[in-house]
Amino acid sequence: MARILVIDDSPTETYRFREILQRNGHDVLEAANGADGISVARAELPDLILMDVVMPGINGFQATRQLTRGAETKHIPIVIVSTKDQETDRVWGKRQGARDYLTKPIEETSLIRVIHQLLSAV
């Protein structure tokens, strides 16, 4: 069972992620924006982070960059999960340090497969 931090400003999306993750045996931490997500990640050191991109204040690309360059959080795999599905978004997300990039609406089997791949690689 992994501790997974969901950083998303949509209560609906956060609820959906929580349902999927808990159904698959994971503990869920939540943050409603990039700044709070960075704080929770630093305090809790989750096993993996699911990161939205479009959020008020610090967006998901900025938060990913801060976390992947931070000494205490750079080991945490980040998966960007966004409605932004252009190839340039995927490339930019990976350049910020994301290990994978999935698009919403998320398919449960794809999400769980990516999570298991990343957690088994750690």
Side-chain angles (χ1 to χ4, degrees):
M1 178 177 346
R3 292 173 63 231
I4 299 176
L5 171 58
V6 175
I7 304 174
D8 198 311
D9 63 328
S10 165
T12 304
E13 290 292 337
T14 300
Y15 176 82
R16 179 155 160 58
F17 283 127
R18 184 180 337 108
E19 290 291 305
I20 291 170
L21 295 170
Q22 288 177 341
R23 181 170 42 247
N24 285 274
H26 300 292
D27 287 333
V28 180
L29 302 166
E30 299 173 8
N33 60 60
D36 289 348
I38 292 167
S39 296
V40 172
R42 288 178 177 155
E44 299 291 333
L45 298 176
D47 298 305
L48 185 135
I49 297 170
L50 298 178
M51 178 80 71
D52 186 24
V53 170
V54 181
M55 296 182 284
I58 296 175
N59 70 37
F61 292 139
Q62 294 166 321
T64 297
R65 185 170 50 248
Q66 286 189 38
L67 291 170
T68 58
R69 286 166 177 66
E72 69 276 8
T73 54
K74 65 182 177 185
H75 69 282
I76 303 170
I78 298 176
V79 177
I80 291 180
V81 187
S82 177
T83 55
K84 295 173 70 68
D85 65 352
Q86 299 295 312
E87 185 60 27
T88 53
D89 297 319
R90 292 176 186 281
V91 169
W92 188 244
K94 297 264 180 104
R95 278 195 176 160
Q96 305 317 302
R99 301 273 181 87
D100 212 327
Y101 192 111
L102 302 172
T103 54
K104 296 176 185 176
I106 196 68
E107 182 184 296
E108 182 171 349
T109 53
S110 298
L111 177 65
I112 297 304
R113 183 180 70 251
V114 166
I115 288 171
H116 286 289
Q117 284 172 347
L118 290 172
L119 292 176
S120 64
V122 174

